[in-house]
Amino acid sequence: MSNLVQIVYISRSTFKPFPAERGIEPTVARILAQSRINNARRGLVGALYFGDGCFFQCLEGESDEVDRLYAALLEDPRHSDLKVLSRRPIDHSGFESWSMKYVPLDAPMKELLGQRGMATFDPYHFDEETVRRVLELLRTRVEAAPAVHPADVQGEADGAGKALRYARWALGTAAAALLVAAGTAVASLA
Ligand SMILES: Cc1cc2nc3c(=O)[nH]c(=O)nc-3n(C[C@H](O)[C@H](O)[C@H](O)COP(=O)(O)O)c2cc1C
C-alpha cells in the first residue's frame, strides 16, 4: 500500500561556499549527482535549495525510504544542524519528474526574501508562511542544471548503456577537438 510522505528539512553546510555568481558550488554539484542517481532508484523525488551556506530540502516518497535517507543525511559530514520543518502524508508528489530538482539563489528567491523582510537566506528564522512560499517557488521554478532522468539509472544493464552513451559522447568530443587542432595546424603552416 502506498504510504507517501513529504519532509522538509534545513541544514548548514560545513564547507565554505564560494560566491553564488561563480555558478554551482562543486560540493553541491556532487551531492546533486549522487542524489539524482540514488533517488531515482528508490522512488524518491524532491528539490534542493542552497543559499548563504544553508540547505533547504524537500523529499517525497514512501515513508520507509524517506526515513532511511533522512537517517543517512543525519550522518553526512557535509552539513550540520539538521532541523525538520515539516513531515506530512501526501496523496501525490509535487515534484513527480524530479529525482532532485536544484534551485539556486536567483532573482525570484531574492524577491521573495525581500518581501518577507530578509536580507539573506536564513531558513532557521522562517515562519510557516515563508516555508510554504519557498516550497512553492521550488515547485514552480525552472531548474538550473540538467536532471538525470530515472530511466537512465534503472538497473545495472541500463547503467552500462548510459556509460556507453557517455563514452560515445566523449569520443565524439575528442574527435571534434582533434579535427579543430589539425585544421589550426594546417592553417598555420599554409
Ligand atoms: C544537503 C544534502 C542533501 C542530500 N540529499 C540527498 C538525496 O536527496 N538523496 C541521496 O541519496 N543522498 C542525498 N545526500 C547524500 C546522503 O547524505 C548520503 O551521503 C548518500 O545518500 C549516501 O549514498 P550512497 O548510499 O550511494 O553512498 C544529501 C547530502 C546532503 C549534504
Side-chain angles (χ1 to χ4, degrees), residues 9 31 34-35 38-39 55 57 69 73 76 78 100:
Y9 80 89
I31 290 171
Q34 183 183 28
S35 304
N38 286 348
N39 294 359
F55 290 106
Q57 190 173 29
L69 174 56
L73 285 163
D76 195 316
R78 293 171 289 191
M100 191 44 60

Side-chain angles (χ1 to χ4, degrees), residues 45-114:
V45 293
L48 178 69
Y49 174 81
F50 179 65
D52 296 324
C54 288
F55 290 106
F56 180 108
Q57 190 173 29
C58 172
L59 289 164
E60 296 178 347
E62 287 295 322
S63 62
D64 288 356
E65 290 292 351
V66 170
D67 291 342
R68 201 168 299 140
L69 174 56
Y70 191 73
L73 285 163
L74 283 170
E75 302 295 319
D76 195 316
R78 293 171 289 191
H79 63 171
S80 62
D81 302 342
L82 279 77
K83 180 178 173 195
V84 175
L85 297 185
S86 76
R87 186 185 196 282
R88 63 185 187 99
I90 49 171
D91 295 332
H92 62 273
S93 164
F95 298 94
E96 273 109 358
S97 46
W98 300 100
S99 54
M100 191 44 60
K101 184 178 186 181
Y102 178 66
V103 178
L105 180 61
D106 57 3
M109 184 65 88
K110 283 184 184 154
E111 194 185 318
L112 167 57
L113 294 176

